[in-house]
């Protein structure tokens, strides 16, 4: 069988259509995991379950320490923890300006094409400044989050689709294609089944800084700002009570730790 034909069989026809659709869709559209490899039945099932799992985004205030399952995305987190295949990796990411998106992309590529683990699942627990990447642009504009992100981030570029997102996914060896470093973005990884998890503790800490120094907040308290940030997590994100504490839960379920 010719190599190109083999490549085309890796992905469904829906993936080809999805790539074109994503190129013209708004950056904040609900992510579709249309680049999950054919044959990755467990990963496809998980992404479907996560799409159905509820996300509460109507908070008025939130407490400093979450003490009830209704305060985080418990159903979605349960789905991830219950994932059965042995090939799964949990990333501990703290620096928005670090190489994390590129490293996760490389990990996916090697696991899928080098080792043949089509059901390989990547989970990304973000905290520190990396947490800022999981807020929509409205929050960046409202609270001036660029000042927390540091140099190189006048806006949240990590949630923006790249032009190469419309490339042919069958050509996985293309050095400027959909699986290359030219397509490092959060939506691109979500389309491959990567689960991004948000840290409530990081949200609270950032809300604390904003309450103390944020412009034109009119005395808004930390609990209200934290709720506002939580309500504006980008689509697909799983809110956890705290990244550092959730990572051991993932490790107990067989996730390999990476950072």
């Amino acid at each position: 069988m010719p190599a190109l034909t083999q490549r085309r069989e890796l992905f469904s026809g829906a993936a080809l259509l999805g790539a074109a659709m994503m190129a013209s869709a708004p950056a904040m559209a609900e992510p579709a995991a249309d680049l999950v490899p054919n044959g990755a039945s467990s990963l496809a099932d998980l992404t479907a379950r996560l799409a159905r799992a509820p996300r509460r985004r109507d908070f008025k205030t939130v407490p400093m320490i979450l003490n009830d399952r209704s305060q985080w995305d418990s159903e979605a987190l349960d789905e991830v923890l219950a994932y059965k295949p042995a090939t799964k990796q949990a990333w501990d990411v703290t620096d928005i300006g670090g190489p994390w998106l590129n490293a996760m992309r490389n990990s996916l590529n090697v696991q899928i094409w080098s080792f043949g683990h089509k059901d390989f699942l990547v989970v990304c627990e973000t905290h520190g400044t990396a947490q800022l990447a999981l807020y929509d642009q409205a929050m960046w504009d409202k609270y001036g989050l660029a000042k927390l992100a540091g140099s190189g981030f006048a806006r949240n570029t990590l949630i923006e689709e790249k032009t190469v997102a419309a490339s042919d996914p069958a050509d996985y060896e293309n050095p400027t294609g959909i699986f290359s470093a030219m397509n490092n973005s959060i939506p691109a990884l979500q389309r491959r089944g990567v689960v991004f998890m948000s840290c409530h503790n990081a949200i609270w800490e950032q809300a604390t800084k904003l309450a103390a120094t944020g412009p034109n907040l009119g005395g808004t308290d930390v609990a209200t700002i934290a709720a506002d940030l939580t309500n504006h997590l980008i689509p697909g994100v799983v809110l956890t009570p705290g990244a550092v504490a959730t990572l051991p839960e993932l490790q107990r379920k067989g996730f390999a730790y990476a950072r």
Side-chain angles (χ1 to χ4, degrees):
M1 182 181 293
L4 183 58
T5 302
Q6 290 178 320
R7 293 173 186 172
R8 290 188 181 280
E9 287 188 349
L10 250 172
F11 298 95
S12 66
L16 299 174
L17 177 61
M21 293 174 62
M22 289 296 290
S24 59
M28 295 310 301
E30 183 69 28
D34 58 350
L35 292 179
V36 171
N38 277 349
S41 56
S42 294
L43 184 57
D45 182 61
L46 174 66
T47 58
R49 289 176 179 274
L50 288 176
R52 295 191 297 267
R55 311 286 204 280
R56 184 179 172 190
R57 299 293 185 264
D58 61 350
F59 293 101
K60 301 301 181 185
T61 64
V62 293
M64 182 178 72
I65 301 172
L66 304 187
N67 57 16
D68 187 277
R69 284 171 55 87
S70 66
Q71 295 169 334
W72 67 88
D73 297 333
S74 55
E75 293 92 344
L77 179 56
D78 287 347
E79 293 287 0
V80 174
L81 290 171
Y83 192 65
K84 297 300 183 184
T87 52
K88 46 196 175 186
Q89 194 171 49
W91 286 77
D92 179 6
V93 177
T94 59
D95 180 9
I96 190 173
W100 50 302
L101 297 181
N102 190 65
M104 287 189 287
R105 178 189 59 81
N106 280 332
S107 183
L108 279 165
N109 288 350
V110 171
Q111 282 287 323
I112 292 169
W113 283 292
S114 302
F115 296 129
H117 298 148
K118 295 181 179 181
D119 276 311
F120 179 59
L121 171 64
V122 169
V123 170
C124 181
E125 270 284 9
T126 63
H127 51 128
T129 59
Q131 171 64 37
L132 299 170
L134 300 188
Y135 303 131
D136 63 27
Q137 188 58 45
M139 291 293 94
W140 278 62
D141 296 339
K142 180 176 181 178
Y143 294 113
L145 297 181
K147 66 180 180 292
L148 298 182
S151 62
F153 287 96
R155 66 183 191 281
N156 189 2
T157 55
L158 300 187
I159 60 173
E160 297 175 356
E161 283 276 11
K162 308 294 185 181
T163 56
V164 299
S167 301
D168 183 355
D171 188 10
Y172 66 87
E173 293 283 12
N174 185 349
T176 60
I178 201 167
F179 302 114
S180 74
M182 300 295 291
N183 197 33
N184 285 338
S185 74
I186 289 174
L189 290 173
Q190 287 180 314
R191 292 175 63 195
R192 301 182 68 179
V194 174
V195 180
F196 288 87
M197 293 189 170
S198 172
C199 172
H200 168 73
N201 290 334
I203 293 174
W204 184 270
E205 290 166 5
Q206 289 163 358
T208 300
K209 292 180 181 178
L210 293 172
T213 63
N216 306 317
L217 295 185
T220 304
D221 61 29
V222 175
T224 302
I225 297 173
D228 195 19
L229 293 172
T230 301
N231 294 340
H232 285 267
L233 293 170
I234 62 173
V237 167
V238 176
L239 175 66
T240 70
V244 174
T246 303
L247 282 165
E249 299 298 307
L250 291 163
Q251 288 176 288
R252 275 192 285 272
K253 294 298 184 178
F255 283 81
Y257 177 84
R259 65 173 306 167

